[in-house]
């Protein structure tokens, strides 16, 4: 799992001798990769110190303070929903056996395939006063006029909290389900012997032991909510991310946007600190001896079917209903006008950018992970942490930080070309999409580092020493020994990075070359214009791609025994 691999990659490694002779250049390469990730943060700080055209007091009073307040409310609401819903569903699946449980076990991950801006895009149409849901309700209740009966407007803070919670709860469900399934049955049996009911066992034993997993999952979900720009803007919630975008694009105030981005980084740091505080006793809680896994309680009859219906409701709302609407709209649109050449061009642009970013991310992750393999210790561990910083930074922050050094480099290249060749090159890095690929690398490098590092952990060091005794240096050993054995980890990391770059909206929206549209930005444009049916095909393609890593996560869960029963 990407989250687990990321957390493992941030843990310090024991000091030991290098497994292969030489290879110091890999450490220098790891330092270069870490510097590339750190550069946008430093550039952001430098840009913020330049001052804003709008006074700081004005920025604080009319932009930052309202955005900070709405962001806080949004994070608190989403956090409450994902923790309650994800934990309850994890206990339902792990501690009970009922009809359809095996299907529900992996189906509850499907909302991860729907980006937050797509679910907002869909429900704005479904729950519109003239949309299918309200028309059906008025027909059932006998109303003819929308003025006589209408549901509360989905464009609101409660609507944003609910919709984001529906797609982000799997971040909590996945690790908590694994934690419940791995808990020792002996602990719960001891609780029963002391007179605890099933409810008390959950509240007093299972839930406290699962606190570290809840903290990790909730922090990841909140970071995704903080990164969201499409859903918040569509639903009328002015978060910090939306404020950065409008300050930069609408007001052309880059220093002001940088100042808001720094405040956003403080919020991210607070989330990380809160998550670490919540799991501060993880080593103690996880040290219990596991003799046999938890035995699920059999639910039969009406209780069993009720459990299935309750468990399936989040899947229907967070995945089934949006997918059905997108399919129906896409089929109708294709039947009327086919797939436009513009959409094919956007698909090619999306796949090209995602492929380039995936290759760069894998290369950077390999350098960082292999340096840690060769020279385990404090230096490479620190470089690995620095290289993973981008995963915690929202896309708008990364894009803003990338723009400053890349624009400066573009100016240097242009001036050099004018001096040497007699003509300018313009914004060659920004105009070619290199800046956007750089932003993708900063944002998703942690996935590659964590996945490859976990793959290296499965390879015995005896193979390194055997390669060394046969005369292979680090490069030859990597080619002949490690790469073939790392193929599953590389494929999994490539899949996650490829799909996440396809779905990434904030960075793509801010750094895409002029005249280039991706599936995500096309969907954003259609939603901004209110032409929802025209964006259905693009949204469906993104959701279809998002199902692939969900399948991979489900397979990993089964392989690790998360869903196994005695």
């Amino acid at each position: 799992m990407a989250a687990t691999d990321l957390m493992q990659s941030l843990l310090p490694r024991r000091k030991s001798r290098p497994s292969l002779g030489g290879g110091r250049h890999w450490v220098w390469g790891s330092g270069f990769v870490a510097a590339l990730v750190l550069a946008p943060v430093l550039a952001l700080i430098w840009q913020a110190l330049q001052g804003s055209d709008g006074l700081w007091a004005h920025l604080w009073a009319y932009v930052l303070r309202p955005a900070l307040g709405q962001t806080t409310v949004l994070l608190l609401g989403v956090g409450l929903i994902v923790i309650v819903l994800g934990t309850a569903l994890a206990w339902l699946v792990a501690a009970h056996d009922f009809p359809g449980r095996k299907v529900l076990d992996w189906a509850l991950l499907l909302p991860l395939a729907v980006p937050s801006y797509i679910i907002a895009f869909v429900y704005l149409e479904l729950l519109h006063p003239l949309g299918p849901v309200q028309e059906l309700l008025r027909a059932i209740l006998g109303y003819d006029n929308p003025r006589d009966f209408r549901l509360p407007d989905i464009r609101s803070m409660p609507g944003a909290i609910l919709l984001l919670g529906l797609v982000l709860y799997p971040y909590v469900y996945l690790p908590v389900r694994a934690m419940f399934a791995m808990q020792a049955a002996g602990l719960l049996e001891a609780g029963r012997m002391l007179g605890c009911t099933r409810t008390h066992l959950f509240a007093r034993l299972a839930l406290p032991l699962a606190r570290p997993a809840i903290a990790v999952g909730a922090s990841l979900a909140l970071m995704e909510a903080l990164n969201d720009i499409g859903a918040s803007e569509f639903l009328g919630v002015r978060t910090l991310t939306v404020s950065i975008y409008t300050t930069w694009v609408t007001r052309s105030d880059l220093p002001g946007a940088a100042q808001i981005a720094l405040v956003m980084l403080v919020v991210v740091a607070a989330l990380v600190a809160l998550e670490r505080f919540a799991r501060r006793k993880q080593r103690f809680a996880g040290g219990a001896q596991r003799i046999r896994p938890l035995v699920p309680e059999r639910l039969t009859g009406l209780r069993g079917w009720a459990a299935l219906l309750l468990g399936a409701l989040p899947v229907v709302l967070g995945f089934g209903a949006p997918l059905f609407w997108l399919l129906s709209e896409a089929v109708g649109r294709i039947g009327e006008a086919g797939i436009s050449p513009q959409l094919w061009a956007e698909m090619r642009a999306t796949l090209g950018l995602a492929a380039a970013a995936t290759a760069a991310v894998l290369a950077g992750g390999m350098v960082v992970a292999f340096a840690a393999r060769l020279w385990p210790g404090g230096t490479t561990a620190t470089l690995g942490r620095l290289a993973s910083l981008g995963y915690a930074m929202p896309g708008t922050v990364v894009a803003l930080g990338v723009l400053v050094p890349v624009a400066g480099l573009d100016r240097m290249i242009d001036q050099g070309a004018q001096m040497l060749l007699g003509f300018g090159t313009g914004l060659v890095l920004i105009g070619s999409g290199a800046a956007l690929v750089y932003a993708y690398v900063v944002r998703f490098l942690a996935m590659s580092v964590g996945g490859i590092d976990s793959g290296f952990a499965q390879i015995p060091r005896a193979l390194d020493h055997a390669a060394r005794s046969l005369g292979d240096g680090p490069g030859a050993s990597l080619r002949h020994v490690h790469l073939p054995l790392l193929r599953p980890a590389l494929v999994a990391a490539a899949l996650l990075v490829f799909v996440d770059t396809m779905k990434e909206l904030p960075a793509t929206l801010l750094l895409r070359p002029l005249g280039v549209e991706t599936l995500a930005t096309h969907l954003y444009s259609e939603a901004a214009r209110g032409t929802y049916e025209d964006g259905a095909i693009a949204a469906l393609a993104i959701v279809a791609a998002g199902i692939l890593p969900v399948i991979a996560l489900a397979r990993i869960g089964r392989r690790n025994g998360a869903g196994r029963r005695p």
Side-chain angles (χ1 to χ4, degrees), residues 167-407:
V167 295
L168 296 178
Y169 79 83
Y171 282 103
V172 174
Y173 165 75
L174 190 60
V176 175
R177 180 199 62 177
M179 183 66 74
F180 284 153
M182 291 187 297
Q183 285 178 359
L187 288 176
L188 300 184
E189 289 174 359
R192 282 185 175 179
M193 292 178 63
L194 294 175
C196 290
T197 64
R198 194 82 176 179
T199 303
H200 288 160
L201 289 177
F202 169 73
R204 298 182 181 180
L205 284 177
L207 193 58
L209 290 175
R211 187 185 64 189
I214 295 173
V216 171
S219 65
L220 290 172
L222 292 181
M223 287 181 187
E224 288 297 323
L226 191 61
N227 181 56
D228 171 75
I229 187 172
S232 300
E233 186 173 4
F234 297 161
L235 299 173
V237 178
R238 190 178 182 83
T239 61
L240 288 171
T241 303
V242 176
S243 298
I244 292 173
Y245 177 74
T246 54
T247 302
W248 179 4
V249 175
T250 305
R251 296 181 56 210
S252 300
D253 186 0
L254 187 58
Q259 291 169 357
I260 300 174
L262 285 182
V263 174
M264 200 169 178
L265 283 181
V266 173
V267 175
V268 171
L271 290 176
V272 174
L274 184 63
E275 177 264 327
R276 291 189 176 181
F277 175 79
R279 63 182 184 91
R280 64 194 182 280
K281 296 182 180 180
Q282 181 177 11
R283 187 172 300 173
F284 172 79
Q289 184 179 2
R290 293 188 289 269
I291 301 175
R292 60 184 183 277
L294 176 66
V295 179
E297 178 186 6
R298 181 73 178 176
L299 301 180
T300 58
L302 186 59
R303 294 178 64 203
W305 290 108
L308 176 61
L309 290 176
L310 289 175
L313 185 60
V315 181
V316 173
L317 295 178
F319 179 78
L323 180 64
F324 178 78
W325 186 86
L326 290 175
L327 281 171
S328 61
E329 291 295 325
V331 169
R333 200 68 181 169
I334 293 174
E336 291 177 3
I339 299 178
S340 68
Q342 179 186 354
L343 191 59
W344 286 117
E346 292 164 356
M347 287 183 181
R348 288 193 297 269
T350 302
L351 296 177
L353 289 169
T358 300
V361 167
L362 287 182
M366 179 61 71
V367 170
V368 174
F370 193 51
R373 175 80 171 190
L374 293 174
W375 295 91
T379 300
T380 53
T382 301
L383 293 176
R385 294 189 190 99
L386 291 176
S388 301
L389 280 177
Y391 189 79
M393 292 192 294
T396 47
V397 175
V398 172
L400 194 60
V402 163
L403 178 70
V404 177
V406 171

Side-chain angles (χ1 to χ4, degrees), residues 78-98:
V78 172
L80 179 63
I81 287 183
V82 298
I83 289 174
V84 172
L85 188 59
T87 304
L89 292 171
W91 180 251
L92 176 69
V93 170
H96 303 87
D97 192 10
F98 50 87

